[in-house]
Amino acid sequence: MEASMRGREKQRRGGKQQQRLVAVAFSCSPRIRQKKKGKTRRRGRAGNSSWAHSTGSPVDDGPVRAQRGTKKTLPKAQQTEPNYSSPLPLLHGSFSSSSSPAAPSTSPGPAAAMLRLRSSARLLRKLCEASRPLVRGEVQRVPPPLPTMTRRLSGAASAARSTSLLHPLPGLDLPPCLPDQLARLPTRITTLPNGVRVASEDVPGPTACVGVFVASGSIHESPESTGATHLLEKLAFKDTAHRSHMQIVQEVEATGGNVGASASREQMVYSYDTLKAYIPQAVEVLLDSVRNPLFVQDEVDRQLALTREEVHAVQKNPEKFLQEVLNLVGYEGAIANPLIAPEEALGIINADIIRKFYHENFTADRVVLAASGVDHQQLLDVAEPLLSDWHKGSPMETPKSTYTGGDFRHKAESDMTHVALAFEVPGGWLKERDATIMTVIQTLMGGGGSFSSGGPGKGMHSRLYLRVLTKYHDVQSFSAFSNVYDSTGLFGIYLTTPPDFVAKAVDVAVQELIAIATPGQVTEVELTRAKNSTISSVLMNLESRVIVAEDIGRQLLTYGSRKPIDHFLQCMEELTLDDITAFAKMLLSSQPTMASYGDVDKVPPYEFVSKRFQRFR
């Protein structure tokens, strides 16, 4: 008895497994008629599949057509309605043994399922042969008639091929094509009677950017006003004589705009970008924030507290910390004034010191209002009444700085040792051709982090990446950098490596700098790639209205005019390998400036590194 029950259970499970196999076969089979071993399969009108032996004995639901064409109908007691509750209604009635208790379970076995799969493969093979191009000498065979659905798809494909997108559609008027090159609109500059310069470049589009650029920075600070530039950046867009900080925020949000301020060693920048329709409101809010700050002591105290936190954060950020220290160590004079306020200065500075520094340096003759995406006359109509009464200061000479070079080492608990090695770029931005060569050399050397990803557009083609990062796996980062000012600047290599490898990494940095200054080490292919990459980067940056406005303002403060972009692009195109070598030799002829952070005991001595460049002096 127990064995009989087990046999029935096994038979029941086997039947269900066969049903699943045949169901998969039916879902993949085309609508064709198959005959094999005396069996005939045919789809019913309701879409159900029916199986019958050659004797005509019924085994499932619905009318069945016998093999010899005689029509037989099942008795009503054996006719059952198909179960449509299943997600596969086409399979019910043919393989469901529970739909009719009188009908015996005669589900087809795996052989029938494989028959279906073979017939599907045969039809697919015939379709492929029909679409295959004829080989020379081959006789074309007439394919059998295709199923209805295949003929429909074939007709749709031929209709799509007859409508080509290479030719204009009939009755469709196309707009005229844009020219290959669009000339940039000129930069218009107007100087007001008090010395304020208003400049703009109109750019098509719905957005615009306007900014105020002031020739004032940390180089203009005295020992008493150290840190004033840093605090002015923090106090931007706060309370003014006409608006509270909350009102400024609400008005900026109402226009959907963005405001920002940034401070550097030589310039201060305040910017406002928004939709063109809101430019009058943007100019009014921007100039009110720059011209009429109150410097409320409570707000100053609040920003002093935030600045202390920022100073502590910078001291824990090796890259920012060393970039700031390089200027303090490598120069004597104005450039050596700290841009990030030191902690001792934060204990002295107050609202009165900031207000005095502001009135001495924010004068009309040192201010530029620059805009991108704005009509010049519209900008003048809005800005001139707000700028005409700005007081004009007394003439002031640019503070002097002298490059000396030097060494700085900050011992800190860190898993990595960070080293920056730099040299002077004499002339800075004022020597336009040298500054252009320096920019191309920075792209040529490139570099990055050991975990950089991407293609050549992310620097993997550069010399430092190919010659250092892919060769020395202990190096975490290795890249060229530059800090350039109006009349001087720094160019060098910044690296991060474990302490045990830092001596070797510094030696590799020295070798890479010397290779740039050695004739024959840089190939023409590398130079061409670097020039093209630099040109591409410059042009893509100038697609941004914010960058265009900044470029206008900074050039007016540095050169006194806006030089066309073609001027700099032509300089890059004319560069040769001899120009690269000559500039690199001049660069390495200055004393090096070194700054290190972390386990500095294993960093090579400054004198040893300096002697490696003795041949260039």
Side-chain angles (χ1 to χ4, degrees), residues 242-243 245-257 272 281 284-285:
H242 306 100
R243 292 176 174 85
H245 173 60
M246 179 60 68
Q247 289 176 324
I248 294 176
V249 171
Q250 291 174 347
E251 292 189 31
V252 172
E253 290 180 344
T255 63
Y272 191 138
Q281 297 94 311
E284 207 276 331
V285 171

Side-chain angles (χ1 to χ4, degrees), residues 316-546:
K316 297 179 181 180
N317 187 327
E319 185 172 1
K320 289 184 178 180
F321 179 75
L322 294 183
Q323 293 288 347
E324 173 68 13
V325 166
L326 284 174
N327 297 279
L328 308 183
V329 176
Y331 288 94
E332 291 181 354
I335 295 293
N337 292 343
L339 177 60
I340 300 176
E343 293 190 25
E344 55 271 17
L346 296 177
I348 302 173
I349 196 168
N350 54 35
D352 294 334
I353 295 176
I354 297 174
R355 190 177 294 107
K356 179 181 178 183
F357 177 84
Y358 168 83
H359 286 293
E360 289 177 353
N361 294 278
F362 280 58
T363 56
D365 56 316
R366 296 163 65 177
V367 172
V368 172
L369 178 66
S372 172
V374 182
D375 178 74
H376 188 71
Q377 189 58 47
Q378 178 188 3
L379 181 64
L380 273 180
D381 294 341
V382 176
E384 187 172 6
L386 303 173
L387 295 171
S388 58
D389 60 339
W390 200 329
H391 71 283
K392 185 176 182 179
S394 57
M396 176 182 294
E397 294 184 1
T398 303
K400 303 297 182 181
S401 302
T402 304
Y403 178 80
T404 58
D407 185 28
F408 175 85
R409 304 186 179 216
H410 179 75
K411 194 167 186 177
E413 295 183 1
S414 176
D415 296 335
M416 296 290 174
T417 301
H418 307 259
V419 179
L421 175 63
F423 298 84
E424 185 192 16
V425 181
W429 293 121
L430 290 176
K431 288 189 175 181
E432 304 164 17
R433 193 170 186 275
D434 289 348
T436 304
I437 297 175
M438 180 214 65
T439 305
V440 174
I441 290 180
Q442 184 173 350
T443 305
L444 174 70
M445 300 188 72
S450 59
F451 297 103
S452 297
S453 61
K458 294 187 177 181
M460 296 181 70
H461 62 281
S462 62
R463 288 176 63 91
L464 295 185
Y465 195 97
L466 297 175
R467 294 161 58 97
V468 179
L469 289 169
T470 59
K471 183 177 181 181
Y472 302 100
H473 301 292
D474 290 330
V475 177
Q476 185 178 17
S477 65
F478 206 97
S479 59
F481 73 92
S482 62
N483 296 326
V484 186
Y485 310 107
D486 286 351
S487 58
T488 185
L490 294 173
F491 178 88
I493 291 178
Y494 178 87
L495 61 93
T496 302
T497 182
D500 296 336
F501 196 76
V502 66
K504 177 63 176 178
V506 172
D507 180 69
V508 172
V510 171
Q511 294 177 12
E512 292 300 321
L513 290 170
I514 292 176
I516 298 296
T518 303
Q521 291 293 318
V522 179
T523 65
E524 190 69 38
V525 174
E526 292 176 322
L527 178 59
T528 302
R529 184 188 295 118
K531 292 194 295 185
N532 291 337
S533 180
T534 306
I535 292 173
S536 175
S537 177
V538 170
L539 292 178
M540 285 190 290
N541 285 335
L542 291 178
E543 294 293 328
S544 169
R545 288 166 175 77
V546 177

Side-chain angles (χ1 to χ4, degrees), residues 138-157:
E138 184 180 359
V139 179
Q140 183 177 6
R141 295 183 298 176
V142 179
L146 296 178
T148 305
M149 182 58 67
T150 307
R151 291 197 300 269
R152 290 176 181 175
L153 294 176
S154 178

